[in-house]
């Protein structure tokens, strides 16, 4: 059975059993800072399980994109070594939110896996939690599985928890015996050890308890079900393969890798086979991560993506592929997955370009890393040692992307070893730094106080109203506790039963305004959404006091709201214009809509040139002049997409979505505030276009009065420039170009004069050359030269002395500059880079360079003279 048919069969079965079919969410979790990536089907339903979000359905099923490369769910190191572990995979899941429980979940699972998919009973085994007699009896007595094929395991294998606090419960797994030749022994032992012979196909989680801060569990009022079946493993089973890399999900990729590397698979070289599998796995993850808007970077999700690209590229090197090649495989992934994820097809060019750029970058980094490795080796051997320290291995890993096994391989070639334990310690330090920098856990703790208000959701009426005379105070939060009142001079957060205030979301800032009644008045400084359904108004009390239950009048700042509405609709016009002019590969990757300006981040690989920016502005202003109607409509996500609406990949959509239509031009799913017609925007002007990452651009723009003010200020600047250079507007650019060229010529003359002056001044001092252990050394403090001129002088003096070392020092822009230049005949004995590092310590700095030429900087200006004198001692020590 083909993988696409497996997906369809799974969803069709649960749809027939009254489950709502839900589209996969992005790999970027929305509103869940506790995880880097979506790593399970239940992630997008977390707020429903916790009771924060209400839906019309109590049963759901999905095929969810997942990544497991971080946290406790991290399969990265197993990838390639086994036939069943992957970084990116698809999880087929069915969910019950307080509807059915264990009995129905087990019946559904058995009926689908045995009767629909047709897996033979004799090859299926069941595991349950050691104390879960109910699940054991359901499998044994109701389904009819012999007791000797139902195994009990402990918490490590058959118990699940959402976190240290919250829902938890036992789970039951269905395992399939792939092939007896893959492992001998009792099935219990083989399953427990993770043998390749047995595949864990489906995990049924029974959420029946909640755990408190003290670790005490108590029954949930509405037990729920969360299940997960790996598509890749099911494909192995139904396609009768012993490796997921042989299934239709991976086979086209493996063939392409073999074509590029001109190798066979499987082969007698197990290491090379491992590399093929790593590349096949990683390119799927890379394609989907970039497709979901994640870009290579040095932290968070971007760092994981960068590491995957580098890991895959390095494995290509092992196969003899030295040029960028991963970007070619992006098209293979897209073609293989197009039936389920058609959005990949429109992003192939963009994803390929990002991937190729990162590959090129790493190829250069790899070369730099090799030079660094060689320098470490020289240092170590000079000390008479033969172990590459953990700190050095980590530096190569963290800065240059060298996996530890590469450092070990290179070290062995040099008859050396690496300090693995030291590397692990350095890696753990980095993880601790990352955990402290990752704000997820802290943010989750802050949300807990709002969870107590989840039952009293706020009704938002701000699309139709800008004020409300009879809102009721239903919650007061002061710091990290719920209060009863707030008085003059205090700050707090107020939750109302109804509000016209828009809570910050979807890139749009929150509303501001006034809250008052006859005995109380406060300024609302921001509005935000701490958890679904709870709108928090951040207030500062001006006078009086307000209590829980009081009625208040809530009024937003209408002028500010109008500017926000204009900028938000303009953002939609900009998005549509970019797609029309640049292509459908353009996707929104982030935005900010404030009253002052708008910011729009989007996927595109090249800077926009002036003609493109002009065309975008012209098209948007044309639509503004056309005064097109802007309408909203409540629909379902599926219907909205069918009608042509653009969905933003990082957003999380509920059952009902709001579709904003600019007549004949734009349709987007959006919960923000907008103008009634485009004419209200007035005027649109782009003020900047820039790069924020590889393959990611940013446009900032203004509208209405802000746009007019920007143009007027620009006009004033141009008028001032005209007056300064005394030419007309049309001649201004030409005149400035002439002045620039004239200035360059003058600078050349000045530079030439300074060089001649320096040579005349300091070449006279070559008689001050001293001898240390028979080696000539010239030490000079120079004045009035910039770093470039100092380098030229050092090179000139080095040639003049013939054989020896030149050391120059200067104070420049409140910093110390030091240079060491060694003649070619001495570099084996005296390295300039080693010399300068030791010298730099005297001035509180550091430096480096080549064996024959190096430079350093420092902050201790008062130590410059002493450092120069120290040169003689350093030379005496290293030349002895």
């Amino acid at each position: 059975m083909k993988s696409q048919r497996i997906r369809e069969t799974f969803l069709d079965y649960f749809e027939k059993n009254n489950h709502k079919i839900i589209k996969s969410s992005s790999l970027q979790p929305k509103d869940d800072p506790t995880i880097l990536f979506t790593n399970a089907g239940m992630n997008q339903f977390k707020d429903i399980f916790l009771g924060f979000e209400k839906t019309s359905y109590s049963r759901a099923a999905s095929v969810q994109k997942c990544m497991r490369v971080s946290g406790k769910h991290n399969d990265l190191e197993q990838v390639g070594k086994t036939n069943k572990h992957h970084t990116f995979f698809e999880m087929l899941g069915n969910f019950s939110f307080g509807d059915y429980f264990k009995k129905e979940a087990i019946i559904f699972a058995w009926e689908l896996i045995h009767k629909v998919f047709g897996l033979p009973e004799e090859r299926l085994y069941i595991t349950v939690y050691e104390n879960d007699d109910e699940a054991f009896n359901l499998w044994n007595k109701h389904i009819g599985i012999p007791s000797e094929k139902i195994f009990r395991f402990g918490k490590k294998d058959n118990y699940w928890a959402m976190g240290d606090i919250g829902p938890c419960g036992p789970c039951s797994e269905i395992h399939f015996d792939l092939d007896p030749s893959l492992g001998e022994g009792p099935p219990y032992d083989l399953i427990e050890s993770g043998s390749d012979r047995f595949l864990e196909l489906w995990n049924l989680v029974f959420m029946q308890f909640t755990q408190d801060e003290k670790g005490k569990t108590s029954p949930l009022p509405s037990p729920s079900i969360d299940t997960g079946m790996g598509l890749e493993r099911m494909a192995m089973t139904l396609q009768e393969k012993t490796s997921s890399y042989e299934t239709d999900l991976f086979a086209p990729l493996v063939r392409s890798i073999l074509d590029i590397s001109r190798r066979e698979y499987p082969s007698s070289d197990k290491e090379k086979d491992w590399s093929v599998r790593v590349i096949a796995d990683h390119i799927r993850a890379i394609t989907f991560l970039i497709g979901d808007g994640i870009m290579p970077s040095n932290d968070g999700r971007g760092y994981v993506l960068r590491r995957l690209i580098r890991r895959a590229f390095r494995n290509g090197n092992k196969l003899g592929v030295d040029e960028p090649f991963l970007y070619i495989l992006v098209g293979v992934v897209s073609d293989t997955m197009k039936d389920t994820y058609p959005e990949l097809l429109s992003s192939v060019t963009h994803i390929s370009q990002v991937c190729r750029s990162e590959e090129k970058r790493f190829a250069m980094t790899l070369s730099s890393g090799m030079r660094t490795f060689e320098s470490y080796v020289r240092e170590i051997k000079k000390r008479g040692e033969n172990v590459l320290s953990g700190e050095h291995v980590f530096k190569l890993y963290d800065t240059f992307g060298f996996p530890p096994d590469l450092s070990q391989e290179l070290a062995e070639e040099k008859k050396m070893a690496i300090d693995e334990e030291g590397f692990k310690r350095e890696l753990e330090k980095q993880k601790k730094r990352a955990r402290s920098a990752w704000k997820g856990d802290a943010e989750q703790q802050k949300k807990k106080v709002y969870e107590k208000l989840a039952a009293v959701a706020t009704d938002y009426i701000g699309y139709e109203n800008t004020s409300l005379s009879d809102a009721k105070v239903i919650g007061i939060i002061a710091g990290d506790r719920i209060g009863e009142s707030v008085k003059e001079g205090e700050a707090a957060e107020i939750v109302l039963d109804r509000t016209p205030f828009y809570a910050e979301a979807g890139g749009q800032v929150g509303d501001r305004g006034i809250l008052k009644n006859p005995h109380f008045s406060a300024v609302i400084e921001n509005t935000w959404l701490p958890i679904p359904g709870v709108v928090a108004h951040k207030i500062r009390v001006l006078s009086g006091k307000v209590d829980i239950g009081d009625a208040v009048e809530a009024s937003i700042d209408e002028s500010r709201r109008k500017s926000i509405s204009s900028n938000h609709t303009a953002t939609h016009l900009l998005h549509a214009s970019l797609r029309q002019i640049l292509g459908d590969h353009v996707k929104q990757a982030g935005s900010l809509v404030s009253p002052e300006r708008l910011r729009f981040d989007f996927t595109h690989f090249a800077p926009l040139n002036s003609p493109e920016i002009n065309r975008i502005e012209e098209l948007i202003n044309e639509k503004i002049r056309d005064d097109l109607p802007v309408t909203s409509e409540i629909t379902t996500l599926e219907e909205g997409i069918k009608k042509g609406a653009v969905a933003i990949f990082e957003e999380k959509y509920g059952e009902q979505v709001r579709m904003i239509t600019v007549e004949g031009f734009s349709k987007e799913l959006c919960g923000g505030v907008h103008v009634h017609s485009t004419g209200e925007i007035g005027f649109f002007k782009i003020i900047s276009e820039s790069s924020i990452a590889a393959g990611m651009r940013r446009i900032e723009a203004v509208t209405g009065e802000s746009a007019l003010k920007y143009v007027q200020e620009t006009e004033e600047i141009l008028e001032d420039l005209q007056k300064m250079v005394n030419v007309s507007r049309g001649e201004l650019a030409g005149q400035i170009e002439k002045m620039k060229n004239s200035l360059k010529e003058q600078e050349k003359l000045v530079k030439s004069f300074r060089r001649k002056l320096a040579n005349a001044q300091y070449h006279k001092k070559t008689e001050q050359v001293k001898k240390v252990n028979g080696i000539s050394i010239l030490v000079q403090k120079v004045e009035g030269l910039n770093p470039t001129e100092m380098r030229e002088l050092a090179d000139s003096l080095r040639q003049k002395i013939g054989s020896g070392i030149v050391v120059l020092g200067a104070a420049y822009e409140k910093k110390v500059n030091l240079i060491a230049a060694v003649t070619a005949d001495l570099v084996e004995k005296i390295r300039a880079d080693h010399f300068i590092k030791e010298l730099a310590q005297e001035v509180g700095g550091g430096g480096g360079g080549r064996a024959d030429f190096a430079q350093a900087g420092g902050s201790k200006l008062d130590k410059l003279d002493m450092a120069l004198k120290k040169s003689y001692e350093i030379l005496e020590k290293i030349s002895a």
Side-chain angles (χ1 to χ4, degrees), residues 556-575:
I556 68 171
D557 181 335
E558 291 190 45
S559 174
R560 184 173 180 274
R561 163 71 79 88
K562 185 178 177 182
S563 296
I564 293 170
S565 299
S566 291
N567 284 339
H568 206 150
T569 305
T571 301
H572 286 214
L573 296 178
L574 174 59
H575 192 184

Side-chain angles (χ1 to χ4, degrees), residues 5 41 48 95 112 117 236 326 395 421 468 561 586 639 642 657 679 708 758 761 770 797 806:
R5 184 65 190 139
I48 302 174
F95 310 91
L112 178 59
F117 284 130
M236 281 174 67
L326 296 171
K395 177 77 171 176
E421 290 305 313
L468 184 63
R561 163 71 79 88
V586 169
E639 279 301 309
K642 282 180 186 175
V657 296
L708 176 61
Q761 180 180 355
K770 295 183 179 180
L797 291 171
V806 173

Side-chain angles (χ1 to χ4, degrees), residues 278-298:
V278 168
I279 294 166
D281 171 88
H282 285 15
I283 191 58
R284 292 190 348 138
I286 291 161
T287 300
F288 276 93
L289 286 172
I290 299 172
D292 273 2
I294 296 163
M295 302 298 292
S297 67
N298 288 328

Side-chain angles (χ1 to χ4, degrees), residues 25-39 43 294 301 650 652:
S25 64
S26 168
L27 287 171
Q28 293 199 65
K30 180 65 177 175
D31 297 328
D32 188 354
T34 63
I35 51 176
L36 268 180
F37 300 105
T38 299
N39 59 21
N43 290 160
I294 296 163
R301 300 180 180 107
E650 77 269 20
K652 178 182 175 184

Side-chain angles (χ1 to χ4, degrees), residues 102 128-141 152 170:
K102 283 186 192 179
V128 297
Y129 179 54
E130 57 191 357
N131 298 330
D132 194 352
D133 294 333
E134 182 185 2
F136 186 98
N137 290 330
L138 283 167
W139 283 113
N140 180 225
K141 295 175 181 177
R152 294 179 185 264

Side-chain angles (χ1 to χ4, degrees), residues 716-781:
E716 288 176 11
I717 292 169
L718 287 171
E719 286 177 12
D720 288 344
L721 285 172
Q722 282 178 252
K723 291 173 183 176
M724 285 179 191
V725 298
N726 196 28
V727 294
S728 66
R729 179 74 59 89
E731 298 171 310
L732 188 58
Q735 183 64 20
I736 290 174
E737 187 64 28
K738 283 181 186 177
M739 294 171 72
K740 274 176 61 182
N741 291 336
S742 175
L743 187 60
K744 281 181 183 177
E745 289 301 318
Q746 297 299 318
E747 285 175 348
K748 282 181 183 177
L749 288 171
V750 170
K751 186 177 180 181
S752 175
F753 177 74
R754 285 163 63 91
R755 187 185 296 118
K756 288 176 181 177
L757 189 63
N759 284 336
Q761 180 180 355
Y762 293 104
H763 274 244
K764 288 179 181 177
K765 297 184 179 181
T766 51
E767 66 271 12
Q768 295 177 11
V769 171
K770 295 183 179 180
K771 293 276 187 179
V772 176
N773 292 335
I775 296 171
S776 298
I777 178 170
L778 175 63
V779 180
Q780 289 289 315
K781 180 178 180 181

